[in-house]
Every structure is written in structure tokens, then in C-alpha cells.
Amino acid sequence: MDILWFLIAMGLLFGVLGPYVLRRRGGGIRLAAPGAPDAADPLAYGFVPQEDQDVRLPGADEDLLDVLNVVQATQDWRAASRLLADTGADGELRWQRVQAFAGAASLELRERPGAGGAWLRSWRADAPKDPGGAAVHAEFLVQQAWRSSAAGTDDFRIILEEALKVTEEAALLAPGDPVPYITRLAVARGLGYGHEQFDQVWAKVIDRAPQHMGAHLAALHYWCEKWHGSREEADHFATTAAARAPHGSLLAALPLFAVYEHVPDVVLVQDFFRTAVVSKAVEGALYAVHSARADDPMQAHVRHLLVWFLVRGERWAEAMHQLVKVDGHVGAVPWTLSADPAAEYTVFRNLAVTGYEANGGSPLTLPR
């Protein structure tokens, strides 16, 4: 999604001056000189400096980061294989870890063409029957298609067709694992599957993991207006999933992702982010994170998107309550759609701090 014109202007202004914004009782905000005694300071809340934000993950996963550091330092894939083998196949965590390993290899290759990501090539060559290696390889190819080629080009299709073959191999190696089929949803979107053909893939996903939030997000992209559906179809998919979700499921937040995917490039409606449609989706997402398990790995994804909407709606205190849960990790939508996710996130975080203090908040009044 293109950055909204408002966000461009605010980003340029607050990306540089955001840490030096004064708080004023009554809600007004004005810029202050650096070092002014009343300037709002995000670091006073224990927030992480922009340059230290981790762009690899949406939230903390120390086991994954420890293994990823070992793999990248030694170029030995075996620690990654062991971690995935010990990660349950029916949950969200395996999907996120497969994505993280694939993303690390893809970024390595971009930084060092021809040499980066050698550990993944070795993994596939040394252990071709390892289901974890096949799942990471398939996701790697999908990410490569989007990073290195324009959608619809011959190169794009060739890479995705190769990814399709690898998802089939990964599925055979781990019949009960939904991850290869979730990856295939992205392949189906890129290759332009018709609705009936896409539904056949989707059926294989929900047979294995009917409440999988990551799978629903992948399917939602297909049903969006910019791909192979419409605003109405995406909304129907999201609201149906949310209505059927059991208590404690983050699927109640899915309509907020559908709204985000269809926010217009230029918002012409005054108070758009306070309209009934947006407010209802936000409330659903807030309910979802409040009722979900504290260790649900998809919580961070929902909280990051909530920050985006809550700041745009000037719901400062609620935005701050989400920020304290996710600060330090910014590898999630909407920040990852920017060329500099840490900078994009920091703009919104600084605006939240400023608005919070402008309405009487302080580090002492923010619960952790």
C-alpha cells in the first residue's frame, strides 16, 4: 500500500523532530527546540532507540534469534533444522520461524549476490528429505520472487513455479504440516489462480489448521481488491472468520487487516479513522489481543497494526499500551512495507508519546 499523503508529510516532519515535541495540556502539540525541558522523550518510557529496533521479527523469539545468529555466523544449517523439528507443526510459531529463516537467507543473498544464504543451499543439498529445509526453501523462493522481480513478469512466474514444486515436496515430507500449503497460498496469489483453484489450496490449509491466523492473513491478501478479489470479498472473508473464531482466537482481529488493505491512498473523509467501520474493526482487534493467550506469537502482528490505527485516530493512551508490548521489534505490517521499517515505526511511536503527554500522560502513568 502506498504511504498516505498525510503520512508522508508527518513522517518528514516528525522523523527528524519527533523526539523534540512539547506536550501541552488540552491536547495541543507544538515543536520544541532540542533539549527543551518539557520536550517529550520516548526513551523516558524505556523505548528502544530507532537504530536498535530489530526489523527481523514482529516480536521477541529468543530461541529463534539465538539459532539464527549461530547459523549466520557459522553457515551451519543444523541448528535451524533442530529448532524447526522441535517446533510444533500445527501452531503459528513454526510458520513464523520458517518465514524468518527464509527472510534471513533472502536478505543475505541480496547483500552478497551469489554468496549470501549459502547455509540454505547446503541444508537442501545435505538433507534433501528434511521437511524443515524444504519448507524454508519454498518460502525463500516466494520472498525472492517479490524482492527480485516485478509481479507478472516472466522471471516472477518462473521463481513462483519453482516455489510451487518445492511446496509440493515439503508437503509430502510433512503431511500434517500446514506451512507448505500456507506458502502455496502466496504462490497461488502470485500466479493468479482462479477462485475455485485457490479454494482447493485453502481447503488443505484449514483441514490441517482451521484457526491459523497466519494462514488467514495469507488468504486475505488473495481476496483483496488489488489482487484477485474485491473490497466486499475481503471483508466477507475476514468478518466470517472472525465470527466463527472461538474465544481467545486472534482471528477476531482479521477485519482490521481487511480495512488496512483497503485504506485509500488519499483519505478524503474527515475523521476517517474514527468512522464506524474503522472503530468496529479496531475494537475487534483490541478484544482479540486482550482475550488471546499471552504467549500467542501472532499477538505482535495485531498490536503493530493497532498502533498504526490508534495513532491515526488520535487514541494516544491506547496506542501507548500497545507500544509497550512490541517496542524493540518492528518486523511486521505496516512498517515492513516501508523502505526503512524502523524509521516508519519510530514516527508513529513519537507521535503517540507526544499525544499521550499532551493529554496529561507521563512515564509514571503508563502501566506496563
Side-chain angles (χ1 to χ4, degrees):
M1 179 182 299
D2 292 335
I3 304 301
L4 304 178
W5 294 117
F6 166 84
L7 182 55
I8 293 173
M10 295 300 287
L12 290 173
L13 178 63
F14 284 95
V16 177
L17 299 177
Y20 309 111
V21 181
L22 278 179
R23 58 183 182 273
R24 297 174 63 189
R25 299 297 187 266
I29 296 173
R30 65 182 177 85
L31 295 179
D38 286 336
D41 180 10
L43 301 187
Y45 293 82
F47 290 145
V48 176
Q50 176 180 322
E51 61 272 18
D52 294 331
Q53 297 288 339
D54 192 326
V55 301
R56 296 172 295 179
L57 298 173
D61 185 346
E62 295 304 324
D63 290 340
L64 172 62
L65 291 177
D66 289 345
V67 168
L68 187 55
N69 289 336
V70 169
V71 169
Q72 292 185 310
T74 65
Q75 293 294 297
D76 187 336
W77 53 269
R78 285 174 292 186
S81 176
R82 287 193 296 270
L83 182 65
L84 288 182
D86 292 338
T87 304
D90 58 346
E92 307 281 353
L93 194 58
R94 182 177 178 83
W95 174 71
Q96 290 202 71
R97 287 175 169 176
V98 165
Q99 283 199 313
F101 283 128
S106 181
L107 290 174
E108 279 185 38
L109 186 60
R110 186 175 68 179
E111 293 168 358
R112 294 182 289 119
W119 54 269
L120 178 55
R121 292 191 291 275
S122 297
W123 189 355
R124 294 292 285 139
D126 297 343
K129 299 301 182 182
D130 185 337
V136 172
H137 185 201
E139 176 64 27
F140 165 82
L141 289 169
V142 169
Q143 294 191 26
Q144 278 297 102
W146 261 275
R147 282 196 172 105
S148 63
S149 309
T153 63
D154 289 343
D155 287 346
F156 182 79
R157 294 189 64 85
I158 289 170
I159 297 173
L160 286 185
E161 285 168 358
E162 179 63 23
L164 176 59
K165 294 177 184 177
V166 181
T167 64
E168 292 170 348
E169 182 180 351
L172 289 174
L173 291 171
D177 187 357
V179 171
Y181 293 100
I182 297 173
T183 303
R184 195 178 298 180
L185 293 174
V187 174
R189 174 165 56 96
L191 293 180
Y193 280 24
H195 291 183
E196 183 176 349
Q197 192 178 7
F198 183 84
D199 282 339
Q200 291 172 359
V201 180
W202 178 240
K204 294 179 180 179
V205 174
I206 59 174
D207 281 348
R208 291 160 175 81
Q211 302 299 327
H212 201 290
M213 179 68 171
H216 280 78
L217 289 175
L220 177 63
H221 290 311
Y222 175 90
W223 292 111
C224 287
E225 189 174 61
K226 61 187 175 184
W227 284 102
H228 308 295
S230 65
R231 187 186 304 260
E232 292 73 24
E233 286 171 309
D235 180 68
H236 175 75
F237 176 81
T239 54
T240 299
R244 293 174 178 172
H247 178 75
S249 170
L250 285 169
L251 287 176
L254 199 62
L256 187 64
F257 288 85
V259 171
Y260 176 76
E261 290 295 335
H262 295 92
V263 171
D265 291 340
V266 179
V267 177
L268 300 178
V269 178
Q270 188 176 11
D271 291 334
F272 171 82
F273 290 93
R274 300 181 186 182
T275 59
V277 170
V278 174
S279 295
K280 182 179 179 180
V282 168
E283 294 306 322
L286 287 169
Y287 167 80
V289 296
H290 290 155
S291 60
R293 297 189 335 265
D295 63 347
D296 191 317
M298 292 301 294
Q299 279 234 32
H301 288 273
V302 180
R303 292 187 188 278
H304 279 291
L305 192 61
L306 273 168
V307 168
W308 193 86
F309 274 97
L310 291 169
V311 168
R312 300 299 298 271
E314 299 182 6
R315 296 168 65 169
W316 312 116
E318 291 169 291
M320 292 291 285
H321 292 160
Q322 303 306 317
L323 285 165
V324 298
K325 302 291 187 181
V326 298
D327 190 72
H329 299 84
V330 296
V333 171
W335 326 122
T336 51
L337 301 181
S338 166
D340 189 342
E344 187 78 3
Y345 164 82
T346 302
V347 168
F348 276 78
R349 186 191 67 186
N350 292 352
L351 285 170
V353 170
T354 302
Y356 183 64
E357 294 195 356
N359 288 275
S362 74
L364 295 177
T365 62
L366 182 63
R368 292 280 174 168

